[in-house]
């Protein structure tokens, strides 16, 4: 205990209380509502991958501290995945770093690369850990807002260019984008790459939904664009791709100098993590294309099911080209405050969702938008759609 009046939580973190996910998940438990708030699957990933983890654990692989950069089998598998999918070649020894999920990759990257006062441009609405990690690193976040345009959220490239100042250190990009479901196009990524080269910026790109792109959308890693390989830190994760979000196996691929910098911060966060799971993820990354195709098709059917249910219930539904999520506009339901709407939704309809405003600095800009996750069993989504129909009443 301290008798001083000084707050215990420091100034850098004061604005980040409990995450909305904790609040909404507690509400789901309390009311028995269907939780379409937090983005985790309600079924586990492939049985053979689960078995691979059991085998590693039984064989005594990874039960003690694994090597700091990650086990060689996994680093090799990550490099092979980037090569096979995107033609990007990385040296498993100097250009790949295994982390405790993408969350630690984001934290370590920002803690390593930022000096206090550096500006970071991030696409708003943004994943909640970005703002907190930029703050922990003493950086200043500069949001560039994605806005609704013809049925999906789009980046205004002029606004992005205008946001760059002499203090800008890096661009923090996320595609496929959580929570909007936007996948940046080749033209948009080309413009981002040109800007980064012209202004000599580092780029950190969160690509954890790289395997969840739908319809005609295509995932193009920023590191494949001209001038980008040497200035881009690419972040990936097994959680979303293999439906094992509790394993917390993520990674960074980048040029040796960048990986070395990120490793310097990472070694004092967790040092290492997820020993046996690292071996299992190495096997998962080598699964045949048929796994990735079937996974995508399954999730696509879920997206369509929930999108139809939401439209039926009276929401405006934005097009989701990637991720686990659908963003809606509640104004057609006669509502305008997403927070109030989400707090009332469990009682009104027995469903939990997330107000997108929590992902904005400009909360008013995000006020009418609400996010639903569709990474759930078909029967659960059908029941949610049925319950939501009550809103159309
Ligand atoms: C889920 C998620 C993460 C965190 O990934 P973990 O591997 O579970 O740490 C990072 N970025 C985005 C955009 C996410 O949706």
């Amino acid at each position: 205990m301290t008798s001083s009046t000084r707050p215990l939580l420091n100034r850098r973190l004061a604005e980040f209380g409990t995450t909305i996910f904790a609040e909404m998940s507690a509400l789901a438990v309390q009311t028995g509502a269907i939780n379409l708030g937090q983005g985790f699957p309600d079924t586990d990933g492939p049985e053979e991958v689960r078995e691979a983890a059991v085998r590693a654990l039984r064989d005594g692989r990874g039960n003690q501290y694994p090597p700091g950069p990650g086990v060689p089998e996994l680093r090799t598998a990550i490099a092979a995945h980037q090569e096979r999918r995107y033609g990007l070649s990385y040296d498993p020894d100097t250009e790949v770093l295994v982390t405790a999920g993408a969350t630690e990759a984001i934290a370590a990257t920002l803690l390593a690369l930022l000096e206090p006062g550096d500006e970071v441009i991030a696409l708003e609405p943004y994943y909640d850990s970005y703002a907190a990690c930029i703050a922990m690193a003493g950086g200043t976040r500069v949001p560039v807002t994605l806005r609704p345009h013809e049925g999906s959220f789009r980046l205004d490239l002029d606004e992005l260019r205008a946001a760059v100042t002499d203090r800008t250190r890096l661009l923090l990009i996320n595609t496929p984008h959580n929570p909007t479901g936007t996948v940046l196009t080749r033209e948009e990524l080309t413009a981002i790459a040109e800007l980064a080269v012209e202004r000599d910026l580092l780029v950190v790109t969160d690509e954890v939904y790289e395997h969840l792109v739908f319809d005609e959308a295509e995932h193009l890693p920023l590191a494949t664009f001209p001038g980008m390989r040497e200035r881009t830190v690419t972040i990936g994760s097994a959680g979303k791709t293999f439906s094992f979000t509790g394993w917390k196996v993520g990674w960074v691929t980048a040029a040796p100098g960048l990986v070395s910098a990120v490793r310097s911060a990472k070694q004092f966060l967790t040092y290492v993590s997820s020993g046996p799971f690292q071996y299992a993820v190495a096997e998962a990354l080598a699964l045949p294309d048929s796994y990735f195709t079937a996974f995508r098709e399954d999730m696509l059917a879920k997206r369509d099911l929930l999108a139809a249910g939401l439209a039926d219930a009276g929401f405006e539904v934005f097009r989701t080209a990637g991720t686990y999520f659908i963003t809606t506009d509640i104004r057609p339901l006669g509502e305008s405050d997403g927070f109030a709407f989400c707090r009332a939704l469990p009682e009104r309809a027995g469903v939990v969702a997330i107000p997108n405003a929590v992902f904005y600095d400009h909360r008013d800009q995000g006020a009418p938008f609400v996010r639903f996750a569709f990474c759930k069993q078909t029967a659960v989504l059908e029941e949610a759609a049925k319950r939501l129909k009550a809103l159309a009443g």
Side-chain angles (χ1 to χ4, degrees), residues 100-103 106 127 130 174 178 206 208-209 237 240 245 248:
T103 306
I106 293 160
Y127 186 64
Y130 298 171
N174 169 216
N178 173 9
D206 178 343
V208 302
Y209 295 102
S237 172
K240 309 291 165 50
T245 57
K248 297 299 284 188

Side-chain angles (χ1 to χ4, degrees), residues 343-357:
R343 290 209 168 96
L345 195 59
E347 285 296 338
R348 274 179 82 187
V351 173
V352 163
I354 296 288
N356 282 25

